Amino acid sequence: MPEIHHTDLLVVGAGPAGYTAAIYAARASLKPILVTGLQPGGQLTITTDVENYPGFAAPIQGPWLMEQMREQAEHVGTRLIYDLITEADLKNGPAADGYFHLKGDSGDEFLARTVVIATGAQAKWLGLESEKRLQAGGVSACATCDGFFYRGKTVAVVGGGNTAVEEALYLTHHADKVHVIHRRDGFRAERILQERLFANPKIEVHWNRAVEEVLGAGTPEVVCGVRLKNTQTGESETLPVDGVFVAIGHSPNTGPFRHEVACDEDGYIITEAGGTRTSVEGVFAAGDIQDRIYRQAVTAAGTGCMAALEAERYISGIPAMTKT
C-alpha cells in the first residue's frame, strides 16, 4: 500500500550535495527524509580513485566515500527512502495544508514544508561498449578529477565545445601529450579558448575523426589506445593513448522539476547568485543540478550545506541571509 510521508525537509538525490544537506538538516532537528533516486551515491559510485576530496592523504574509492556519507546522514537522524520522485507540485508554492506535494515511483506521497533538489547531472557518453567497460580503467568524463593520474602520459580528449577545449588545456598541466578528437573540421568553443589551444605545443587536434572503439590491454584491463574513423573517407586508424576523456557535455537530472522551478535552456536549475534559492520560495537546489561550471564533489557538498542552512531559516521564518 502506498504511504504518505510528512517531513519538514525533503532532500531529493543521494550524492554529495544531497547527503550533506541531509546531515545539516538532521543536526538542526528537522528530521529530514532523503529520497535516493535511481543511483544512490551519484557519479561517485562509478569513480574509482578519488584523490581530491579533502581529508584523505591517500586516494579513496568513490563508492566507499558515498557509503560513509550515507551512514553519517542516517546516524544523525536522516530517514532514507529508496524511491524515485516522478511528480512534483512546486511552482505555485505550498498547498493549502502548508506542504509541497511530491510523488514517488512507488506510489508513495511526500509532503514537505521545504524541498532541496540535489538530483545531480550525468556526463554524456559516446555510447560504446568499450567506453563503458573501461570507465574504471582509463576512461573519464572529468579532467579535474582524474588528470593528476596521467602525469607524463598521453591522453585523448573527445569533443569540440568549450568543455572539451578547457579539459584539453587543463590536462596539459599533467600529461606530456594531449590529442583532441573532433568529428567536425572546426570547434564550437569560444574563440579565445581555441587560440589558447592552438598555441599550446602539447596539444594535437585530429579533425573529422570519430571514436569507433576504446582499446584496452592487460589484467586488469586499462586503456591503451583508441580506434578512430575518418568521418569523410571512412578510413580507420589507431591512436595510442593512456587515457580517454569524453567531453561532449552533461545532462542535468531535472526530471519532474523542469517545469516547476526556473531552469536555463539546458535544464539546469537557476539559483540566486551566491545561494541555493530557486524561483519558488521554500525550494532550494544544490550540487550539479544547478552547477554547470565546477561539478566537483567538494563544491556539491558545499552547496548542500548552504541549501540546508537556507531551508532551516525558511522554516523558522527568518529572512534570507543577506550578502555583505
Side-chain angles (χ1 to χ4, degrees):
M1 286 288 293
E3 297 183 46
I4 299 177
H5 308 279
H6 291 78
T7 182
D8 281 338
L9 190 149
L10 180 70
V11 179
V12 186
Y19 282 137
T20 303
I23 290 166
Y24 273 80
R27 286 174 53 81
S29 300
L30 297 180
K31 298 180 180 179
I33 290 176
L34 186 151
V35 179
T36 62
L38 288 176
Q39 188 180 18
Q43 293 187 72
L44 279 178
T45 59
I46 58 171
T47 304
T48 51
D49 290 341
V50 176
E51 202 169 38
N52 57 1
Y53 198 85
F56 303 95
I60 56 175
Q61 298 296 299
W64 177 86
L65 178 60
M66 290 297 91
E67 182 68 13
Q68 294 299 302
M69 288 190 183
R70 180 191 65 79
E71 291 182 5
Q72 184 178 5
E74 290 187 303
H75 176 74
V76 294
T78 300
R79 181 185 174 196
L80 262 66
I81 296 180
Y82 292 88
D83 201 349
L84 173 69
I85 297 298
T86 56
E87 298 178 26
D89 186 2
L90 308 178
K91 61 185 176 183
N92 296 317
D97 59 7
Y99 289 93
F100 291 101
H101 289 236
L102 302 91
K103 190 172 184 179
D105 186 60
S106 65
D108 284 8
E109 292 187 50
F110 298 86
L111 278 60
R113 294 179 62 196
T114 185
V115 178
V116 173
I117 305 169
T119 46
Q122 292 182 327
K124 294 180 181 177
W125 298 98
L126 301 171
L128 304 173
E129 183 280 329
S130 56
E131 169 193 55
K132 184 175 181 180
R133 187 180 76 247
L134 287 163
Q135 280 183 10
V139 174
S140 173
C142 181
T144 308
C145 308
D146 300 324
F148 181 77
F149 300 112
Y150 295 91
R151 288 171 294 176
K153 297 185 177 182
T154 298
V155 298
V157 175
V158 184
N162 281 355
T163 299
V165 173
E166 289 170 349
E167 297 269 275
L169 290 168
Y170 176 82
L171 286 165
T172 61
H173 298 302
H174 302 291
D176 281 351
K177 182 73 175 181
V178 179
H179 296 279
V180 178
I181 302 165
H182 187 37
R183 62 184 306 114
R184 298 182 178 86
D185 60 2
F187 289 130
R188 302 183 308 277
E190 295 173 4
R191 180 61 58 183
I192 188 170
L193 291 175
Q194 294 190 44
E195 291 174 355
R196 292 172 184 169
L197 182 141
F198 294 136
N200 195 307
K202 285 188 174 183
I203 298 176
E204 180 179 348
V205 180
H206 300 261
W207 302 114
N208 302 309
R209 299 294 192 276
V211 177
E212 284 189 310
E213 184 181 4
V214 181
L215 306 175
T219 305
E221 190 178 21
V222 295
V223 170
C224 66
V226 288
R227 188 170 71 243
L228 305 178
K229 179 180 180 179
N230 188 308
T231 58
Q232 294 184 326
T233 67
E235 296 180 353
S236 294
E237 61 187 286
T238 298
L239 183 67
V241 296
D242 302 300
V244 177
F245 290 83
V246 180
I248 57 176
H250 286 74
S251 297
N253 299 320
T254 319
F257 307 108
R258 182 69 183 258
H259 301 294
E260 297 298 320
V261 295
C263 298
D264 67 16
E265 60 184 6
D266 294 320
Y268 288 89
I269 294 176
I270 298 171
T271 53
E272 67 170 358
T276 63
R277 289 194 297 172
T278 70
S279 59
V280 177
E281 193 74 14
V283 178
F284 306 86
D288 289 7
I289 192 65
Q290 54 87 53
D291 173 18
R292 59 187 305 153
I293 299 175
Y294 301 107
R295 295 193 296 265
Q296 300 296 302
V298 66
T299 52
T303 56
C305 164
M306 293 163 60
L309 294 176
E310 291 188 303
E312 179 190 6
R313 294 178 70 89
Y314 168 79
I315 290 173
S316 300
I318 301 173
M321 297 180 184
T322 56
K323 311 295 186 296
T324 58

